[in-house]
Amino acid sequence: MKKRIVSLAVTAALLTTTVLGALTGCKRGGDAEDIDSNKTQLYVGYYYSGLGKEWIQQAKSIFEEKYADTSFEKGKKGVQIVLDLDKAGLNGGDLLNTIKSKRDSVFFIENGDYYKFADSENLTVADITDVVTSKVDSEDVTIEDKLDEKSKAYYNLGTEDAPQYYALPYYEGILGINYNIDLFEKKNWYFASGKCADDVDLDTVDLSSLFVTGTEDKKSAGPDGIEGTSDDGLPATYKDFEALLIRIKTSGSFIPLAWCGNYLTYLVEFMNTLWADAEGPDQFELNWSLSGTATDLIEADNGQITKLGPTEISGNTGWKLHQQEGKLHALEFAKLCVSDSGYYHPDSFSSSLTHTDVQRQFVNGTGSSSQIAMLIDGNWWEVEATSWFDENEASENSKQNRRFGFMPIPKVSKDRIGEPQTRITLNNSMVFINANTSEEIMPVAKEFLKFCHSNEVLNIFTQTTSMMRPMNYTLTEETLAKTSAYGKEMYELHQAANDGSNKVYILDTYPSTPDAIRHTTLLDPKKWGWSYGNVTNPFVQFKNNPTDTPENYFNNVIQSYTTSWSSIWK
């Protein structure tokens, strides 16, 4: 829901022109807050959506207390952080055109094109190199030290020796299959040790023979192929997933799989996750560089797959990446999910089933509202569903007492069990300072930006959102004790992607070459790769056209990009 704080005592014109000075004597609507004219005001534009506002409110309170006796402006002592909570107005594309008229100094946004914001000819964001390269409070590391190498390469517009930063990444948004651990345990929906659906005929097998009969039974090794890890018993292959859908469908009044109908674009973004995991990190990342050697291109014809030889990819031949075999497998998974109407929520293709509706049913669905076993949604779903957990704060359904997990993507087939888990981040979220910030306010803006990247605030962020910032940091024992089971799982996933074991990859979809940077709109992961003609969504296409095949969809996309590439790549 859009929630913008609006001034009740100054004109709209003044509100949109005052970055350079603090307003005095006004009362603000929404989360109403009296403006203290004895303090320095720092206005913060905060993209108010799935992540909620608890973490930023805690950061605000701690920062204000920390600098209560500090003077940033003559005649004033202390700081007042004023949060401008907004959504549409802080969407990157729109903000790019309006930021110069905004009063906010610090921004947390989504869907931003960094290179456009940091365009030297139309610079809208301040140079924050000194913030990024200096140590954070009492810590022994800088913010730059916390960034991974790819983030450094993307955000550093200077050189390694003379860096130049204008923004930082905000949050690690990952879309996938979330599942109800409590329900899986109660209903014995885990695969038994040594069992894999690839070894049987699902039309004739006694399906119960594939699954555990109780919590004492040993589970299968899961998609990572390693016993004793968190994915034990989860579907290891596409055929396992099919068996699971059938098992849940026939277990009573349960809905195997659901997603919201008002944001069907989530399914398109999920297709990229499927593609990435089936393709593997190195080959999939060619889609954001358009530079390198593709080794997994295919031709598909009447069920026959022909592997092509190594192919050099450049801007002129980027369309060929739609021939990656992983893309065909992603389409196979999508087709599987909608191949039986009993596999998915009956309203999942209707806009009447909103993201909050389906989250509520996932958390609390009982009785006539059948329980949902698995939910395709972003990892922001749990914090977005806080109010539904709060409905049951005193019961076993409270967030702290519930267990939800983030399911690894099943592998294409049994012979690929044990391959790395590959995820991608979404939403191009960023943090930066408005270039129009006045000299008097810039020091406090930089201090707040730095503070928000301290381990203290990073811990608060994860504990309250169950998500991670895309940085290297450790959660304290105190934080972990207050973090939900889902939040702990997201932390473990993040740590696994950064421990050097190469078992998990979380890929940023940053354009990484000059050619790719010039075509960020074309390569937007929300749009890249799944459209032809009037068709834009594989799940919708396969649901509405049951006779359509993954191979046909695959070839239509290739044909579309082949014929249009010369006009869209300029």
Side-chain angles (χ1 to χ4, degrees):
M1 179 188 301
K2 179 178 178 180
K3 298 185 179 180
R4 165 166 268 177
I5 300 177
V6 181
S7 173
L8 298 181
V10 293
T11 66
L14 181 58
L15 276 177
T16 58
T17 58
T18 319
V19 171
L20 303 182
L23 297 179
T24 61
C26 63
K27 179 91 169 180
R28 299 177 57 71
D31 288 0
E33 181 174 356
D34 289 315
I35 297 301
D36 188 343
S37 60
N38 296 312
K39 296 180 179 180
T40 292
Q41 277 72 48
L42 177 67
Y43 293 92
V44 176
Y46 181 77
Y47 189 90
Y48 187 31
S49 188
L51 273 65
K53 59 185 178 181
E54 184 178 353
W55 83 267
I56 192 70
Q57 287 180 324
Q58 286 194 37
K60 159 188 161 68
S61 297
I62 297 170
F63 186 84
E64 288 175 340
E65 182 178 354
K66 181 178 180 179
Y67 288 93
D69 296 321
T70 303
S71 176
F72 288 94
E73 293 181 280
K74 186 177 180 180
K76 296 186 178 186
K77 185 171 72 170
V79 178
Q80 181 180 19
I81 305 293
V82 182
L83 299 177
D84 281 333
L85 306 177
D86 195 2
K87 184 175 180 180
L90 296 179
N91 189 61
D94 296 325
L95 181 62
L96 189 64
N97 298 319
T98 62
I99 188 171
K100 289 183 178 181
S101 65
K102 295 283 187 181
R103 68 178 183 177
D104 303 296
S105 292
V106 179
F107 286 92
F108 295 81
I109 73 162
E110 288 185 9
N111 303 314
D113 185 331
Y114 175 50
Y115 288 94
K116 289 182 179 178
F117 275 95
D119 183 355
S120 59
E121 295 183 2
N122 188 34
L123 190 64
T124 57
V125 291
D127 188 328
I128 57 171
T129 306
D130 55 338
V131 176
V132 178
T133 57
S134 59
K135 290 185 178 180
V136 181
D137 293 337
S138 60
E139 298 173 18
D140 292 329
V141 297
T142 67
I143 297 175
E144 186 177 43
D145 293 331
K146 298 180 182 184
L147 297 174
D148 63 31
E149 292 304 314
K150 190 171 182 185
S151 292
K152 290 179 188 177
Y154 180 70
Y155 284 98
N156 179 9
L157 301 187
T159 65
E160 185 175 352
D161 294 331
Q164 202 166 24
Y165 289 90
Y166 292 91
L168 288 165
Y170 179 16
Y171 66 83
E172 200 165 77
I174 310 172
L175 203 146
I177 303 172
N178 305 278
Y179 70 105
N180 186 329
I181 296 174
D182 296 317
L183 192 58
F184 267 58
E185 284 192 359
K186 180 180 179 180
K187 303 303 296 183
N188 297 320
W189 289 336
Y190 289 106
F191 285 85
S193 177
K195 299 296 184 178
C196 181
D198 290 40
D199 298 329
V200 301
D201 183 343
L202 292 181
D203 292 329
T204 60
V205 70
D206 176 6
L207 208 61
S208 64
S209 67
L210 295 176
F211 294 86
V212 299
T213 59
T215 56
E216 300 302 316
D217 288 0
K218 187 177 181 180
K219 300 173 185 174
S220 70
D224 70 0
I226 303 171
E227 294 182 351
T229 55
S230 61
D231 73 348
D232 285 4
L234 294 175
T237 66
Y238 284 10
K239 196 170 180 182
D240 271 358
F241 194 76
E242 181 180 10
L244 177 63
L245 292 173
I246 298 170
R247 179 70 168 167
I248 297 172
K249 174 190 171 185
T250 57
S251 291
S253 107
F254 299 100
I255 297 173
L257 186 62
W259 52 85
C260 65
N262 63 324
Y263 290 134
L264 288 176
T265 52
Y266 280 7
L267 296 177
V268 178
E269 295 173 88
F270 180 55
M271 291 301 301
N272 286 325
T273 294
L274 295 169
W275 182 5
D277 194 73
E279 192 64 34
D282 294 337
Q283 286 296 297
F284 185 73
E285 285 200 309
L286 291 175
N287 288 280
W288 318 121
S289 68
L290 300 186
S291 177
T293 304
T295 59
D296 201 30
L297 305 187
I298 62 168
E299 291 179 349
D301 183 30
N302 292 321
Q304 297 298 312
I305 302 297
T306 302
K307 289 187 175 292
L308 306 179
T311 303
E312 289 304 310
I313 297 297
S314 67
N316 292 329
T317 59
W319 62 269
K320 293 184 178 181
L321 292 170
H322 296 293
Q323 292 181 269
Q324 287 184 329
E325 186 173 1
K327 184 164 190 166
L328 177 60
H329 292 314
L331 289 162
E332 292 167 350
F333 192 90
K335 174 77 172 181
L336 165 63
C337 290
V338 297
S339 60
D340 186 315
S341 61
Y343 290 167
Y344 57 90
H345 195 293
D347 296 324
S348 268
F349 287 100
S350 169
S351 60
S352 65
L353 184 67
T354 68
H355 57 296
T356 54
D357 291 336
V358 76
Q359 289 163 0
R360 185 179 193 180
Q361 192 171 343
F362 186 46
V363 172
N364 295 331
T366 56
S368 60
S369 180
S370 299
Q371 190 95 29
I372 295 169
M374 297 177 286
L375 174 68
I376 296 177
D377 203 340
N379 59 341
W380 51 85
W381 80 268
E382 193 185 59
V383 65
E384 210 165 41
T386 295
S387 61
W388 308 135
F389 286 103
D390 289 347
E391 284 184 331
N392 301 280
E393 191 63 42
S395 75
E396 62 182 15
N397 272 349
S398 67
K399 188 183 293 188
Q400 284 302 106
N401 292 327
R402 296 292 299 279
R403 292 180 300 156
F404 293 91
F406 199 59
M407 184 177 288
I409 301 299
K411 299 305 174 185
V412 174
S413 55
K414 187 177 180 180
D415 61 309
R416 295 184 62 174
I417 291 174
E419 290 183 357
Q421 180 183 169
T422 305
R423 302 284 189 168
I424 63 172
T425 60
L426 301 168
N427 295 340
N428 294 327
S429 58
M430 297 188 299
V431 184
F432 53 78
I433 294 176
N434 192 336
N436 283 354
T437 300
S438 69
E439 290 184 12
E440 292 80 10
I441 302 301
M442 185 62 76
V444 69
K446 288 187 173 183
E447 283 300 317
F448 185 67
L449 186 69
K450 183 187 291 188
F451 176 70
C452 286
H453 294 82
S454 66
N455 286 343
E456 178 182 9
V457 178
L458 294 175
N459 270 250
I460 291 171
F461 178 88
T462 296
Q463 188 269 313
T464 56
T465 66
S466 296
M467 296 174 65
M468 296 294 295
R469 295 288 305 275
M471 298 181 180
N472 295 315
Y473 60 100
T474 302
L475 298 186
T476 66
E477 290 300 320
E478 181 182 1
T479 297
L480 286 169
K482 296 185 292 184
T483 300
S484 70
Y486 186 78
K488 290 173 184 174
E489 187 155 326
M490 296 313 303
Y491 175 59
E492 291 168 2
L493 182 72
H494 175 89
Q495 296 298 84
N498 290 280
D499 66 6
S501 66
N502 299 325
K503 293 293 185 182
V504 176
Y505 291 88
I506 299 177
L507 306 180
D508 298 306
T509 54
Y510 299 145
S512 57
T513 61
D515 264 353
I517 290 168
R518 287 190 301 107
H519 294 84
T520 53
T521 301
L522 171 65
L523 299 178
D524 182 344
K526 296 179 180 180
K527 303 173 183 176
W528 174 247
W530 302 106
S531 299
Y532 67 89
N534 294 322
V535 177
T536 59
N537 190 318
F539 278 77
V540 174
Q541 174 67 8
F542 292 141
K543 183 259 185 184
N544 292 338
N545 300 274
T547 60
D548 199 1
T549 66
E551 179 185 298
N552 184 59
Y553 198 115
F554 179 75
N555 285 329
N556 279 331
V557 170
I558 294 170
Q559 181 61 33
S560 175
Y561 275 95
T562 301
T563 56
S564 65
W565 194 252
S566 61
S567 61
I568 62 179
W569 185 265
K570 297 179 180 178

